[in-house]
Amino acid sequence: MRIAVAGATGNIGSLTVAALERDGHDVVRISRSLGVDLLTGDGLDDALAGVEAVVDVTNGPAADRAETVAYFATTTRNLLAAEERAGVRHHVLLSIVGVGRIEGNAHYAGKREQERLVAEGPVPWTVVPATQFHDFAEMVAGWTEQDGVATVAPLLVQPIAPADVAAVLAEIATGEPRGHYVDVAGPEPQDLVDMARRTHRARGREVKLVPTWSGPLGTEMAGNVLLPGEHARIAPTTFDDWLEEQATAARS
């Protein structure tokens, strides 16, 4: 198949491209750095010529709620309109588990708008909700780290390996549209503070972590809110497996 990946140069995008190419598919990379701008639509029609399916793993700006929602709305509308003109038969959107349960987060608001536009749009679709990635805790700590100290919300998550997410997206893109797909998650729940501590150590770093709800991730994310629902699809790679890969890379 000829499959386009929007957000192809990002972490999940590059892994999805690699997974599709390993299976012998012809992959079109969509990214502003490669000359295709989802905000303006420039280059989209040429990029989607002959494409049968599109996987959207784009990310939005870290901005306020209105700007984030506007960004996702514009890029999604442009992408869907170009897909309709090109005769694309399947739009696959990567989303987030629990996106409908959290109101105060700007990124979640943008993803909800993205899901709404895809579900109401002209192209047959599948929305794939995934839990946080294994590197999420390190990223969250990095938002506030200063002089070797960082704050982290004590969230309960069930993280998934980025490569496992990419494999699921590649599989779904080659099949029939499924509508709202089941939650996709890693094998076991983890505490975000502990995840950050262990990730830093695997990379040979020591960062003092201060658990707090006063940062960007609030108490509306507490408890089981971010955990997958019943009948979730469980990916194989554990957080320990992923950590060992990071430690090996740090030593090499």
Side-chain angles (χ1 to χ4, degrees):
M1 291 178 62
R2 185 171 174 83
I3 300 172
V5 177
T9 57
N11 182 26
I12 298 298
S14 59
L15 290 169
T16 304
V17 168
L20 287 165
E21 289 183 336
R22 279 196 301 270
D23 291 337
H25 299 288
D26 179 17
V27 181
V28 177
R29 295 166 175 81
I30 293 178
S31 172
R32 187 164 54 185
S33 65
L34 300 175
V36 185
D37 193 332
L38 293 180
L39 267 178
T40 64
D42 291 346
L44 262 179
D45 287 332
D46 288 341
L48 294 181
V51 165
E52 299 168 77
V54 171
V55 181
D56 183 0
V57 294
T58 53
N59 209 345
D64 63 30
R65 183 187 184 102
E67 186 176 346
T68 302
V69 171
Y71 175 86
F72 278 118
T74 299
T75 55
T76 302
R77 286 192 181 102
N78 286 341
L79 185 55
L80 291 172
E83 289 175 23
E84 185 179 25
R85 292 192 295 271
V88 171
R89 301 199 304 265
H90 191 185
H91 180 97
V92 180
L93 172 64
L94 175 62
S95 192
I96 310 170
V97 166
V99 74
R101 299 192 289 266
I102 297 169
E103 285 297 324
N105 185 284
H107 183 67
Y108 278 53
K111 295 300 289 185
R112 283 195 299 274
E113 177 66 4
Q114 201 177 27
E115 284 194 15
R116 183 187 70 81
L117 291 169
V118 167
E120 296 176 0
V123 181
W125 54 277
T126 305
V127 169
V128 182
T131 54
Q132 284 69 32
F133 306 144
H134 281 158
D135 56 0
F136 179 67
E138 181 184 31
M139 180 181 71
V140 169
W143 293 345
T144 62
E145 184 181 341
Q146 191 170 3
D147 300 326
V149 180
T151 59
V152 180
L155 297 177
L156 184 63
V157 296
Q158 192 161 326
I160 186 169
D164 287 347
V165 175
V168 172
L169 293 171
E171 171 199 315
I172 289 174
T174 61
E176 294 298 314
R178 308 282 291 272
H180 286 287
Y181 194 68
V182 297
D183 292 347
V184 180
E188 55 200 5
Q190 300 282 344
D191 172 78
L192 197 69
V193 180
D194 185 58
M195 284 176 64
R197 182 178 295 109
R198 294 168 66 195
T199 304
H200 288 143
R201 287 179 178 169
R203 299 197 194 283
R205 301 186 65 227
E206 286 293 333
V207 179
K208 181 180 179 181
L209 301 175
V210 180
T212 178
W213 291 111
S214 64
L217 306 178
T219 54
E220 64 176 340
M221 293 183 171
N224 296 335
V225 172
L226 299 181
L227 298 185
E230 219 176 338
H231 311 301
R233 177 171 177 174
I234 303 301
T237 307
T238 67
F239 182 61
D240 285 341
D241 291 338
W242 181 83
L243 269 184
E244 181 56 37
E245 292 175 7
Q246 308 315 300
T248 300
R251 290 193 295 266
S252 62

